[in-house]
Amino acid sequence: MATGESRARSIGQQATGRTVLKTHPGSKTAVLVALAALVTGCGGSASDTAPTKPSAGHRAGSGSGSDGSSAGTVGFDTVFKTEERFQQALPDPASMAGWTPRNASALIEDDPEPAARCAPSRDWECAKIAHGEANFEAFGEEADFDITAFVDKAGAGEACRKEATWSAKYTKAPGAAVSDVESHAYYRNVGGENGLYVTMCLGTVVAEVTLAGPNSSLDPDTAHSLARQFVPRIQKAAAAS
């Protein structure tokens, strides 16, 4: 992983306006800034929000947002290096009906690792310049959305190749590929818990959707449905001025 300075910004408590300084092992000082837009939606507290039964036509685990239409192009040159860009790209409570938002954050690397220093290993994120994530839960199933950003399309492409090589040892998951996006899905066990991972390569980022949790059915259709909602959000964020 990169060992340079980074700014970690939690997209969970913006209304508090608090700023906390923390020191992370192997890195310089990181600034943790609380933000509320993704986790609380319209100002409510995520911890007080119980999972609700999805509306008709949507079952728990599929999401029900209106971001299914395509926007922008897969091969965008936009560099994701601000927390605002991640906030636009990551799913929000409105697009995840039936799920409880848990946390969201953006980590901006002030001193990213040069690609030349990154070995051809499983550490495909080595040269990342930023990372963002948003996590949701419903009835014991967890849905996690991640974006790892790179300085350009070449950097993202190299990370995609490394990630694909590394994940090839795991069991491939069935299901339709995400249209017009280089992607693959696989099953993996982490910390004793099984998960279904969908990895997508588009523009300057590598995006991932993960299903896990004690009650998760690890349904490929659900994972790909969430991935297909995620892609246009990333495209729209890339196209935003």
Side-chain angles (χ1 to χ4, degrees):
M1 298 294 178
T3 58
E5 185 174 357
S6 60
R7 300 194 307 277
R9 305 185 184 275
S10 171
I11 310 177
Q13 304 162 348
Q14 185 176 24
T16 66
R18 298 175 59 192
T19 299
V20 181
L21 296 181
K22 289 187 177 181
T23 300
H24 290 231
S27 67
K28 301 176 184 177
T29 302
V31 182
L32 181 63
V33 178
L35 304 170
L38 289 187
V39 173
T40 59
C42 299
S45 171
S47 61
D48 296 331
T49 304
T52 58
K53 190 173 183 178
S55 57
H58 299 282
R59 62 186 181 82
S62 66
S64 58
S66 58
D67 293 298
S69 60
S70 178
T73 62
V74 172
F76 57 78
D77 293 302
T78 304
V79 179
F80 278 65
K81 60 182 179 180
T82 65
E83 55 272 21
E84 290 80 11
R85 189 76 67 179
F86 286 102
Q87 189 171 327
Q88 293 170 332
L90 292 166
D92 56 17
S95 66
M96 290 292 289
W99 296 83
T100 297
R102 289 306 184 195
N103 56 70
S105 64
L107 179 70
I108 313 299
E109 299 288 348
D110 284 339
D111 187 18
E113 194 75 21
R117 295 183 188 174
C118 297
S121 67
R122 59 177 288 178
D123 187 12
W124 59 268
E125 298 174 298
C126 173
K128 72 180 184 297
I129 62 171
H131 175 266
E133 64 179 271
N135 306 313
F136 298 81
E137 185 273 337
F139 307 107
E141 182 169 46
E142 301 166 7
D144 301 332
F145 299 83
D146 292 85
I147 301 174
T148 304
F150 298 87
V151 69
D152 53 27
K153 287 190 290 187
E158 178 63 17
C160 281
R161 286 188 288 275
K162 289 182 179 180
E163 195 284 331
T165 299
W166 175 73
S167 64
K169 61 185 177 182
Y170 296 105
T171 302
K172 184 177 180 180
V178 180
S179 299
D180 301 322
V181 177
E182 179 184 347
S183 67
H184 60 271
Y186 59 94
Y187 298 102
R188 179 186 171 200
N189 183 283
V190 179
E193 183 172 273
N194 292 325
L196 171 56
Y197 296 71
V198 179
T199 302
M200 298 165 287
C201 306
L202 58 161
T204 60
V205 308
V206 179
E208 293 181 294
V209 174
T210 305
L211 286 182
N215 293 333
S216 177
S217 62
L218 303 183
D219 178 38
D221 289 340
T222 297
H224 282 94
S225 174
L226 294 173
R228 285 191 289 272
Q229 293 182 44
F230 196 15
V231 168
R233 292 188 69 94
I234 296 171
Q235 292 174 316
K236 288 176 182 177
S241 58

